[in-house]
Amino acid sequence: MTPRFLAARAASLLGLLLVLSLVLFVLQEISHTDAVAATLGANASPEAIAAERARLGLDDPAIDRYLDYLGGLVTGDLGTSFRTKHAVTEDIGTYFPATLELVLFSFASALALAVVFALTSVLRRRGAGVFRGLLFLASTAPTFLLGIFSLVVFYLQLGWLPGSGRLSGAHEADGPTGLLVVDGLLTGDPALSVDALEHLLLPGIALAVGPALAIGRVFRSSLLGTLDAEYVRTARSKGLTERRIVLRHVVRNSLNAALSMSGLQIGFMFAGVLVVESVFSWPGLGSYLGASIPVSDFPAVAGVTLVLGAIYIVANTAADVLQGMADPRVAR
């Protein structure tokens, strides 16, 4: 991987983040949200309103306001929520671990399902057709509908899994990371980890099904294309089994397209998680955003949008770098 490739990806990353910040600033300008009224109340005196406008810099030229806004973003200042009266950064810090844990679990589940989908198809394992059919069928449903279906079947009818929240009443969230599965392991409380995993299963799988199929189909196509390569035919002529050829020689050379698709899907997951959190009453950024939109809490909405947009951009940049590591030809 060349320094020029890394520099180009870093420049692209910074450029996209700047564009995202500019878009959010423009939306804030045209939203007609009255930050002064939200701060002081509708009955504030004209003198107090003028002083607050001066303090907030609302009378400054637009370019100065944007530079101040950009400086705030760099230092982690996303403004103050009109609804909670807390710094948006603090609110996001409170809600983000729940969303992060859900997305990480879903992404790991999606990768596992995608690998099984691709490898069983290529190796023609027994039951592969049934598994592919079930995954296809589940992915045709919208995420919220799949979530509701899983709630009805596995929570209401069968009672196998919990249907809402992150923990049962028997446990309390108390750990250094905010990721309950990890915190249970770090604090020597495996029951906490098990409880958290049980609560993750329904929303996590509902969120993972669509990305799993997308990644799995791309990975399967790459594997099938690579199986026609000359070195694969040479390996077959030497008597190597199909399983050994695929696992030891074909998989690595088929990763590029799957890595690219994975970068896209993890970004989509952070967008789709907002719907899943609403269905399963998950106390993450989706819940925070859902409560902020009806009351026009623009700083909170913009803060969540910025965080999710930045994650999407960073995830795709990381996927590009991983592609370059897997195939040096990409990084030339």
Side-chain angles (χ1 to χ4, degrees):
M1 187 179 304
T2 64
R4 181 179 178 183
F5 173 80
L6 292 175
R9 291 299 178 271
S12 176
L13 171 67
L14 292 176
L16 289 172
L17 290 176
L18 280 174
V19 170
L20 177 61
S21 70
L22 180 60
V23 169
L24 290 175
F25 175 78
V26 171
L27 289 176
Q28 178 176 304
E29 291 292 301
I30 66 178
S31 68
H32 303 298
T33 302
D34 193 344
V36 175
T39 303
L40 300 180
N43 298 322
S45 66
E47 294 78 11
I49 291 175
E52 185 67 12
R53 288 187 64 86
R55 187 185 72 82
L56 296 175
L58 298 178
D59 297 323
D60 296 341
I63 183 63
D64 291 340
R65 294 200 303 276
Y66 173 65
L67 291 177
D68 289 341
Y69 176 71
L70 194 60
L73 297 184
V74 172
T75 58
D77 181 8
L78 301 177
T80 302
S81 168
F82 299 157
R83 180 176 61 88
T84 67
K85 308 303 181 183
H86 298 152
V88 173
T89 304
E90 293 179 7
D91 286 344
I92 290 177
T94 300
Y95 289 95
F96 183 67
T99 296
L100 178 62
E101 183 170 47
L102 178 56
V103 171
L104 289 177
F105 176 82
S106 298
F107 187 62
S109 300
L111 290 180
L113 291 171
V115 170
V116 173
F117 175 90
L119 291 181
T120 55
S121 299
V122 170
L123 296 175
R124 299 176 183 176
R125 290 292 187 248
R126 180 178 299 177
V130 175
F131 175 75
R132 293 200 306 271
L134 290 174
L135 193 59
F136 271 116
L137 181 62
S139 66
T140 58
T143 303
F144 76 91
L145 187 59
L146 188 61
I148 293 172
F149 174 81
S150 64
L151 273 176
V152 171
V153 174
F154 297 104
Y155 170 61
L156 292 177
Q157 298 295 326
L158 299 176
W160 289 354
L161 294 169
S164 63
R166 300 181 71 191
L167 288 174
S168 63
H171 293 99
E172 294 183 2
D174 185 20
T177 69
L179 308 179
L180 301 184
V181 175
V182 176
D183 287 343
L185 298 175
L186 292 178
T187 58
D189 187 0
L192 174 65
S193 297
V194 172
D195 190 15
L197 275 173
E198 289 177 348
H199 283 77
L200 278 167
L201 280 172
L202 289 184
I205 297 302
L207 184 61
V209 167
L213 181 63
I215 299 170
R217 293 178 72 174
V218 170
F219 190 31
R220 175 177 177 271
S221 297
S222 297
L223 289 173
L224 292 174
T226 307
L227 283 171
D228 291 331
E230 182 67 31
Y231 73 89
V232 174
R233 289 194 289 269
T234 302
R236 287 195 183 107
S237 67
K238 293 180 178 180
L240 296 180
T241 64
E242 197 73 7
R243 180 176 179 274
R244 186 174 182 184
I245 291 172
V246 170
L247 296 181
R248 297 194 59 179
H249 301 284
V250 175
V251 168
R252 179 175 179 179
N253 293 319
S254 305
L255 286 176
N256 272 343
L259 287 173
S260 180
M261 180 59 71
S262 298
L264 290 173
Q265 293 304 318
I266 195 171
F268 291 150
M269 278 184 170
F270 272 101
V273 74
L274 304 182
V275 176
V276 172
E277 287 185 0
S278 298
V279 173
F280 291 92
S281 300
W282 191 264
L285 289 180
S287 301
Y288 179 63
L289 186 63
S292 300
I293 291 175
V295 296
S296 300
D297 188 357
F298 191 86
V301 174
V304 173
T305 303
L306 179 72
V307 169
L308 296 182
I311 289 172
Y312 181 81
I313 293 169
V314 170
N316 280 276
T317 302
D320 287 344
V321 173
L322 289 174
Q323 278 187 282
M325 295 173 63
D327 187 353
R329 295 172 298 178
V330 176
R332 288 176 182 174

